[in-house]
Amino acid sequence: MTATDFRTLTAPTAADIEAIAHEVLEELAATPFGPAITDLLVRVDDFCDEEIEREMGLESPYDLLGLYSGVSIDRQSVLDIRTSPDMVFLYRRPMLDYWCENDVDLHHVVRHVLIHEIGHHLGFSDDDMEAIEAAAD
């Protein structure tokens, strides 16, 4: 690829990341996760907001690829009044940075982050998910 060709490339947009996320959700619909994720919303932003960055003690907004927002299934009650939907935020710029620094497919990055955040929706901790991933390897 020549330098001229390289300059004509554009980074995947939020819409591109969202399309990949919806492909992943469709793939997961046929798994045991399916019923638990039917109402889960996905939103793509460039970065997390400054409040989340402060709350999580991040050194950089590039440190967070995704975030689950909501009440995990293990803590939900039919008696609770829900004021907001369960949502996964995917952060485009940190994911693109990760994608460029590692030799992986962008679909793989989005899938990994989305599954991680779905794990939080299901009530898994980061340690739980690391153990699951280690066992899968």
Side-chain angles (χ1 to χ4, degrees):
M1 176 177 286
T2 67
T4 304
D5 293 334
F6 190 78
R7 286 187 296 217
T8 63
L9 296 177
T10 58
T13 65
D16 296 330
I17 301 292
E18 187 174 338
I20 294 170
H22 286 289
E23 287 174 14
V24 172
L25 287 174
E26 285 180 25
E27 294 167 9
L28 295 175
T31 70
F33 288 125
I37 62 173
T38 56
D39 294 330
L40 190 64
L41 300 177
V42 175
R43 177 175 165 176
V44 179
D45 290 333
D46 273 349
F47 293 102
C48 66
D49 62 35
E50 291 178 3
E51 181 180 345
I52 290 171
E53 192 176 342
R54 275 191 310 277
E55 285 176 9
M56 296 188 76
L58 302 177
E59 291 181 23
S60 162
Y62 284 94
D63 292 341
L64 189 62
L65 304 179
L67 181 70
Y68 168 70
S69 175
V71 178
S72 61
I73 288 176
D74 64 323
R75 294 184 179 181
Q76 292 179 8
S77 168
V78 294
L79 301 176
D80 290 339
I81 297 173
R82 303 294 304 269
T83 58
S84 61
D86 293 308
M87 184 177 296
V88 170
F89 290 88
L90 299 176
Y91 299 118
R92 184 181 78 91
R93 297 280 306 277
M95 286 198 304
L96 294 180
D97 199 54
Y98 180 89
W99 173 52
C100 288
E101 290 177 358
N102 297 277
D103 189 23
V104 293
D105 180 72
L106 183 58
H107 185 274
H108 173 81
V109 174
V110 173
R111 179 181 172 81
H112 176 78
V113 174
L114 189 55
I115 288 174
H116 182 91
E117 300 312 326
I118 288 170
H120 287 305
H121 173 60
L122 298 174
F124 299 154
S125 70
D126 283 332
D127 290 339
D128 293 336
M129 288 181 280
E130 285 178 23
I132 290 167
E133 287 183 27
D137 290 340

